[in-house]
Amino acid sequence: LLATPLAALLAALLAVLLGLQLAWAPPAAANDIPEWTANRGQLVLQGVPEIPAALVERLKQYQNVRSAAFLDWTRNGKGLYISTNFGDIDQVHRVDSPGGSRRQLTWYPEPVGQVLRQLNGDVLAITMDEGGGERDQIFLFDPRTATTRKLSDGDSRDRLLRWSRDGRWLAFQSTRRNGSSNDLWIMDPERPAEARLLLEAPPGTWYGPADFSDDGRYLLVQQFLSVFDSRIHLLDLRQQALRLVAGGDPQNPSANRAVSFDRRGDGFYFITNVRGRAAELAWQALEPGTPAQSLTARIGWDVTDFTLSQDGKRGAFVVNEDGASRLYLLNTRSRGYSRVEDLPLGVVSGLQFSPDGRQLALTLSTSHTPSDVYVLQLGRRPESSRNLVRWTFSEVGGLDASQFAEPELLHYPTFDLRGEKQRMVPAFIYRPPDKKRWPGPRPVIIHVHGGPEAQYQPAFSKNTQMWVAELGAAVIAPNIRGSTGYDLEYLALDNDYRREDAVRDIGALLDWIAGQPDLDADRVAIYGASYGGYIVLASAVHYSDRLRAGVDVVGISNFVSFLENTEDYRRAFRRYEYGDERDPEMRAFLERISPLNNVERIGIPLLVVQGRNDPRVPASESEQIVQALRDRGRPVWYIEALNEGHGYDRKENRNIYEQAAILFLRQYLLGEGGGSESGGSE
């Protein structure tokens, strides 16, 4: 038979087919992917090699880094409530002196969310969800008896708590009316079943309480439509009358954030960009028709936070100067302010005056220290201070903090112009400080923030320090277009049909890296979470020839399926940012740019991380990109936590994911080999 011409042709075809079979293997079935579990079956790892014991031991120091955040003052003003963890999740602790012991008060199975002490009282109102699903419930905790009482209905999403000045009423945002609308509610904590609906939120917006007037008659109400359009209303609780007091101009939409009544009953403080400049602290009289008065017009950076003392005489605000926080004290009578000069460079949050107004508590995070709680002793004049006292000293696992890499601010040119000049993208770079240990050009990890309306700031990052020290990598965190903290033009540059311009900013960063003699342009990985995860996937589509690997944490893989499956109470806000998938033209555009529909162009290994209960970016977004990559025989590691949501809050899950990320980057960024392909179980 082989002697015939037809047989010879068949033999040749068979040889070709056999050759192709040797060069290409069909994708493995799902049940062929090595899988193992950890943490009592709550963490599922697919395609992830077993974590070597030596690596687990090596990373323990980093993974035992602890932090603390200020929550509230005790009623007598002599102690602080803080959030920290001595185990797996954050709980409420009390500290009664600088450097004093942290006494744990709550022992819940879930991490605490918002914690707010009842004014003129001792009890704490606490929000807490289940399994990361973000359907927060409201609880009342009495620190004197360590007892907890549930106030909410158990089904709705309840958040943004505000106490009335007399401590009788608790205002909050809730979806209890229909499961999707973010309405304004109020309750008497002694009669939670009689909670009342105050305002029904129109579609595509939400209401939230900002502050009660001293006499309890008025409520300052925040309304949010988008990052570009937010408004402030005054609600008369006696007459149920609502009056717009800031924002809402259809010809000049602006972002306005309500903060506090002025305690004199004359007006209120708020943060606004109505003048088209950086966000300013302003005061607005309650009398209709009077214009707002800017208090920080001379400061050219965004005001990000403001707090007022209980007597209304002192104020404090934070300014974001190119990512770093500057703290100012305000004399509310003279409206003069001064900068606190002895504050370490870092990120400040959680401002609150003590009940007597003589101290200011805050949370501070620097490149060398995790978040810790500090108290600023105040001077006699409202705008003066004496000294800053550190109240908590969070552990860094025995690491030498003096060896941590310090961030350096840089600006690199991108593809378009601003006016007649090249547009510049701000970024922070962390270089390995030990040049003897790490000689030569260093590999690079690009860290992209989420949001997209967010900003990378030089706060302490355990992962950054771990990547620098353990991988010898330089870490670059760009604030690509669409980031907050700059101006409205920059914030809007990635909207709608300009979405991939943000990805082009990553391409420009790759160009910049290629021109740096101390960086290795042939060894670059990219990491991002949430929207940053989308940027990872999109960068893999466009720049697989210039990247080695990518780590996608709870990222969007298809904008259409994301918009259709995200929780109802979020959908309208995300449509405003990304585009409305119900519009045929926009739908076609979103489908065209989605990484899932361009998966054949992804040529780098990926580590994908997801929480099963994620209400923002559903688990299906990660599952579909993982399956599409597997169908094409691409290397992909997948980690899913069954008891987490939008990111990992539990230390036991976070530890293993971080260990796997180091292992992944060692193999695919540094080329050090992959280890075992089979996992263990726990």
Side-chain angles (χ1 to χ4, degrees):
L1 180 64
L2 292 177
T4 66
L6 179 59
L9 178 61
L10 289 172
L13 287 173
L14 180 61
V16 171
L17 289 172
L18 287 172
L20 288 174
Q21 180 66 29
L22 292 174
W24 175 86
N31 56 9
D32 293 334
I33 302 297
E35 179 179 300
W36 55 287
T37 65
N39 301 337
R40 300 162 302 284
Q42 293 298 306
L43 193 68
V44 181
L45 302 96
Q46 297 178 351
V48 180
E50 184 175 1
I51 311 297
L55 180 60
V56 173
E57 185 65 27
R58 176 63 191 147
L59 299 185
K60 274 184 178 179
Q61 286 182 289
Y62 298 97
Q63 297 185 322
N64 284 325
V65 169
R66 205 191 314 273
S67 63
F70 171 74
L71 296 174
D72 213 326
W73 288 90
T74 59
R75 185 180 184 180
N76 62 11
K78 296 181 179 180
L80 306 176
Y81 295 114
I82 68 166
S83 171
T84 189
N85 79 73
F86 283 153
D88 188 37
I89 52 178
D90 287 344
Q91 295 293 306
V92 179
H93 294 67
R94 175 170 171 160
V95 182
D96 289 306
S97 62
S101 62
R102 288 169 275 186
R103 179 161 58 90
Q104 187 164 344
L105 301 180
T106 63
W107 305 82
Y108 300 128
E110 302 288 346
V112 296
Q114 185 182 4
V115 177
L116 199 63
R117 181 178 58 80
Q118 182 185 35
L119 297 178
N120 300 321
D122 294 293
V123 297
L124 305 176
I126 296 175
T127 62
M128 186 166 45
D129 73 354
E130 182 177 350
E134 297 187 16
R135 290 199 172 272
D136 296 87
Q137 300 300 306
I138 306 173
F139 300 85
L140 209 60
F141 174 76
D142 190 335
R144 299 164 300 183
T145 61
T147 55
T148 300
R149 184 160 53 93
K150 191 173 185 178
L151 301 181
S152 50
D153 60 11
D155 296 320
S156 56
R157 176 179 182 251
D158 304 282
R159 63 186 197 123
L160 303 183
L161 312 179
R162 289 295 182 273
W163 285 105
S164 61
R165 306 301 298 178
D166 60 7
R168 180 183 174 187
W169 299 101
L170 190 63
F172 59 101
Q173 182 190 93
S174 179
T175 61
R176 62 177 62 192
R177 174 168 62 93
N178 57 16
S180 59
S181 298
N182 296 284
D183 302 325
L184 181 64
W185 288 70
I186 193 170
M187 73 161 67
D188 177 351
E190 297 303 316
R191 299 177 178 83
E194 300 175 11
R196 293 186 292 115
L197 174 65
L198 292 178
L199 293 173
E200 292 187 6
T205 184
W206 62 247
Y207 285 129
D211 193 26
F212 283 88
S213 61
D214 281 7
D215 60 6
R217 177 172 179 175
Y218 297 103
L219 182 62
L220 207 55
V221 177
Q222 181 73 58
Q223 183 184 21
F224 181 87
L225 287 83
S226 75
V227 70
F228 300 98
D229 187 354
S230 49
R231 306 165 187 180
I232 303 171
H233 302 265
L234 185 68
L235 177 63
D236 187 326
L237 294 171
R238 294 179 189 172
Q239 300 181 2
Q240 290 297 300
L242 187 70
R243 176 163 63 91
L244 179 68
V245 291
D249 182 352
Q251 304 301 319
N252 183 32
S254 57
N256 302 274
R257 178 155 63 90
V259 182
S260 174
F261 284 104
D262 62 11
R263 302 303 166 217
R264 298 188 304 272
D266 298 329
F268 64 93
Y269 294 96
F270 67 114
I271 297 171
T272 179
N273 62 11
V274 69
R275 297 204 301 166
R277 302 168 51 185
E280 300 170 354
L281 176 65
W283 179 84
Q284 171 72 58
L286 295 180
E287 186 69 24
T290 55
Q293 301 173 24
S294 175
L295 306 182
T296 60
R298 290 176 292 138
I299 299 177
W301 296 97
D302 283 351
V303 175
T304 59
D305 198 5
F306 175 75
T307 190
L308 188 69
S309 63
Q310 289 191 21
D311 62 10
K313 295 179 181 180
R314 299 177 187 264
F317 60 92
V318 176
V319 171
N320 176 353
E321 292 188 8
D322 228 342
S325 295
R326 305 293 185 185
L327 177 63
Y328 290 78
L329 296 175
L330 172 72
N331 183 327
T332 60
R333 292 187 177 180
S334 69
R335 296 187 176 173
Y337 55 81
S338 63
R339 193 165 96 174
V340 179
E341 298 294 347
D342 56 352
L343 196 73
L345 184 65
V347 178
V348 174
S349 60
L351 301 177
Q352 188 177 326
F353 287 99
S354 59
D356 63 6
R358 297 178 181 177
Q359 302 178 90
L360 177 69
L362 54 93
T363 303
L364 172 64
S365 176
T366 76
S367 62
H368 282 74
T369 59
S371 294
D372 264 315
V373 180
Y374 293 74
V375 172
L376 184 66
Q377 306 292 328
L378 301 175
R380 295 183 64 181
R381 291 181 294 110
E383 71 275 23
S384 65
S385 63
R386 295 200 306 268
N387 60 311
L388 185 70
V389 180
R390 186 172 178 177
W391 272 58
T392 64
F393 294 81
S394 292
E395 301 83 352
V396 290
L399 296 165
D400 183 357
S402 67
Q403 297 302 306
F404 289 158
E406 294 189 14
E408 172 192 341
L409 178 64
L410 62 91
H411 296 81
Y412 66 87
T414 189
F415 64 91
D416 59 342
L417 301 177
R418 183 180 186 183
E420 297 181 354
K421 296 182 179 180
Q422 200 74 30
R423 188 181 305 280
M424 305 297 285
V425 175
F428 290 93
I429 183 170
Y430 298 77
R431 291 183 170 93
D434 189 347
K435 295 183 179 180
K436 291 183 179 179
R437 182 186 177 194
W438 304 111
R442 303 317 310 147
V444 178
I445 299 173
I446 298 173
H447 180 185
V448 188
H449 67 69
E453 309 103 334
Q455 179 188 30
Y456 185 90
Q457 294 184 271
F460 181 81
S461 170
K462 171 185 64 177
N463 279 339
T464 294
Q465 298 299 341
M466 188 162 55
W467 295 339
V468 170
E470 297 303 314
L471 300 175
V475 178
I476 304 177
N479 281 314
I480 57 178
R481 65 191 63 212
S483 301
T484 56
Y486 303 99
D487 54 41
L488 290 177
E489 177 196 10
Y490 196 73
L491 184 63
L493 284 176
D494 65 342
N495 283 4
D496 299 326
Y497 294 101
R498 294 170 289 179
R499 179 61 49 198
E500 286 196 318
D501 284 354
V503 185
R504 295 177 70 184
D505 284 345
I506 300 297
L509 178 55
L510 293 171
D511 293 339
W512 182 86
I513 291 170
Q516 307 305 306
D518 62 331
L519 303 179
D520 188 347
D522 293 327
R523 293 188 294 167
V524 181
I526 186 168
Y527 166 97
S530 192
Y531 177 76
Y534 156 71
I535 295 292
V536 168
L537 296 175
S539 297
V541 168
H542 290 278
Y543 307 119
S544 273
D545 59 332
R546 304 169 71 183
L547 294 168
R548 282 283 188 95
V551 179
D552 158 29
V553 182
V554 297
I556 300 167
S557 63
N558 184 306
F559 282 112
V560 172
S561 59
F562 158 72
L563 289 167
E564 291 177 340
N565 294 318
T566 192
E567 285 285 349
D568 291 345
Y569 57 77
R570 304 185 69 257
R571 186 171 296 114
F573 307 113
R574 295 299 85 197
R575 280 173 174 157
Y576 188 95
E577 170 64 33
Y578 298 123
D580 192 334
E581 84 287 359
R582 297 168 299 183
D583 174 75
E585 184 178 350
M586 176 55 70
R587 187 183 187 93
F589 169 75
L590 293 174
E591 291 279 17
R592 185 167 67 252
I593 69 168
S594 290
L596 183 67
N597 297 327
N598 295 278
V599 71
E600 73 281 355
R601 297 170 61 186
I602 296 178
I604 61 172
L606 288 175
L607 166 61
V608 179
V609 181
Q610 181 67 50
R612 166 55 55 182
N613 305 319
D614 193 341
R616 305 187 192 188
V617 180
S620 54
E621 289 300 302
S622 290
E623 292 167 349
Q624 61 192 12
I625 194 69
V626 166
Q627 188 58 54
L629 289 165
R630 286 175 178 166
D631 288 345
R632 287 160 179 78
R634 301 296 190 193
V636 55
W637 299 7
Y638 184 46
I639 303 176
E640 183 179 53
L642 307 184
N643 56 352
E644 301 276 15
H646 198 64
Y648 287 6
D649 288 330
R650 298 177 182 275
K651 184 176 183 296
E652 62 177 3
N653 293 332
R654 204 164 54 242
N655 282 355
I656 295 177
Y657 140 62
E658 291 168 352
Q659 294 159 8
I662 289 285
L663 192 64
F664 176 82
L665 292 168
R666 277 185 175 179
Q667 178 173 346
Y668 292 112
L669 176 62
L670 305 185
E672 293 184 356
S676 170
E677 288 296 322
S678 62
S681 63
E682 179 181 322

